[in-house]
Amino acid sequence: MEERKSKRGKIGLMVFLLVDLLLIGAAVYMIAARQRDIPTGAPLGGTAASVLDSVPEETVPAATEPDVPAPLELADEIECGYAYVVNASDGLVLAEKNGEERMYPASMTKLMTLLLACESGIEPDEPFTFDQDMLDPLIERGASRVGFEAGETVTFGDLLYGSVLPSGGDATAALAIMIDGDEQTFANHMNRKAQALGMFDTHFSNASGLHAEDHYSTARDIALLLQETLKHDLCRTVLTTPVYTTSRTSQHPNGLELYSVVDQRMAGFLPQHIVFQGGKTGFTDYAGYCLASFAEQADTTYIVVVAGGEDKETPCRDAQTLYELLCGVPEQNVGEQ
C-alpha cells in the first residue's frame, strides 16, 4: 500500500514538472515571437508608444523646387559695362552683365532720395526756402539743378518732381534738409535703408549722386532699389510724369516747367510690345551714362538697369534692346494658332 502511494506521488510530481516545463516553453516562445516583431533598436518591454516611435517613418521624397532658369550672361548684346534685368512681379532675374560688381551710380542715387522722401510723411504742400549757402557748393561742383534761387520758397511736392524729372541737385539737397536736417545725416539714413533692403554692395555719401570714392552701388542693388520705390504710389507717379510745373513764386511768377530727362532721351528708343513707363538717368565722368527704368506688359513689371555708357544714347539703346530681347512678348491675335 505504501509502495503504491509512493509511486502515485512520483507520477504526480513528474506530471507537475512536465506542466511547468510546457508553460515555461510557451512563455519563452511568446517572448521570442515578440522579439521578432519589435523593430531593431526598440527597447525591450517598452510601451506601445515607444515601440511605434522606433518604427522608421515611410520615406517621403523631398519636394523639388521648380527649375529656375539661369540669368542670361550679357556680352555683345549691349554696350554698357553693367546691366541687370529683373521681372519685378516675381523677382526672377532675366539677365545681367557685371551686375554685382561695384560701380558709381551717379544720379540713379536720387531713387533712394525719392523713396525716403515719399516715406517721410511730409505733406506735399510743406514749404521750403532756399538760401545761397546751400546752393553755392552745387554750383561750384557743376551739379545739375532745377534752377531754384536763394530766397525762393517752394513746396515739398515741387522738390520731389525737381529731384527726378530734371535731376536737380538743388531739390535733393533741400529734401535732405527737410527730412533729416542736413545732408550727412540724410546720407546715413540712406545707408540704413540700403542695408534694410539688402543692398549690401552700396554706400551713399550724398543725396544726389555727385562723385565720391565712397559713393558706390551695383546694377543689382539699383534694380532692387527701383523695385522697392515702385511699391509707393507717389514715387511711381513722380517717375512716370513727363512734365510738371512748380509753384509760382516771386522769383518765377509762372513757376518752372520741368521736363522728364528720361522721356526726352528714350523718345527715339521706345521698345516694341511693351509699355515703357519711366525711371531715372545718371551721369558723371566716373560713372558714365546710366539709366534705371521700368516697363509694363499686362500685369507684369520689368526693370532694366544699365550703367557705364559712353554717351547719352548708349543706355537708352541698351535698355530698348533688353526690353525687346527679354521682356516684350507680342500679344497674339484672337484666334491665332
Side-chain angles (χ1 to χ4, degrees), residues 271-294:
Q272 298 182 30
H273 314 308
I274 192 168
V275 181
F276 183 85
Q277 295 291 336
K280 186 70 196 74
T281 57
F283 169 77
T284 67
D285 290 337
Y286 294 89
Y289 289 89
C290 312
L291 173 63
S293 66
F294 68 105

Side-chain angles (χ1 to χ4, degrees), residues 135 144-150 152 166 168 170-171 251-252 256 258:
L135 292 173
S144 59
R145 293 180 293 123
V146 177
F148 297 124
E149 298 179 12
E152 185 170 11
D170 46 359
Q251 291 81 2
H252 299 99
L256 290 169
L258 312 180

Side-chain angles (χ1 to χ4, degrees), residues 11 27 29 31 44 58 76 81 109 127 161 170 183 190 193 207 224 228 232 261 278 306 319 330:
I11 293 172
Y29 176 82
I31 290 173
L44 290 177
E58 183 179 351
D76 297 334
T109 297
Y161 287 93
D170 46 359
E183 192 163 4
M190 296 169 75
K193 186 66 175 183
L224 190 63
E228 181 67 21
H232 297 262
V261 175
V306 284

Side-chain angles (χ1 to χ4, degrees), residues 288-311:
Y289 289 89
C290 312
L291 173 63
S293 66
F294 68 105
E296 295 179 340
Q297 184 183 62
D299 296 327
T300 303
T301 299
Y302 297 96
I303 288 174
V304 170
V305 176
V306 284
E310 293 186 357
D311 55 45

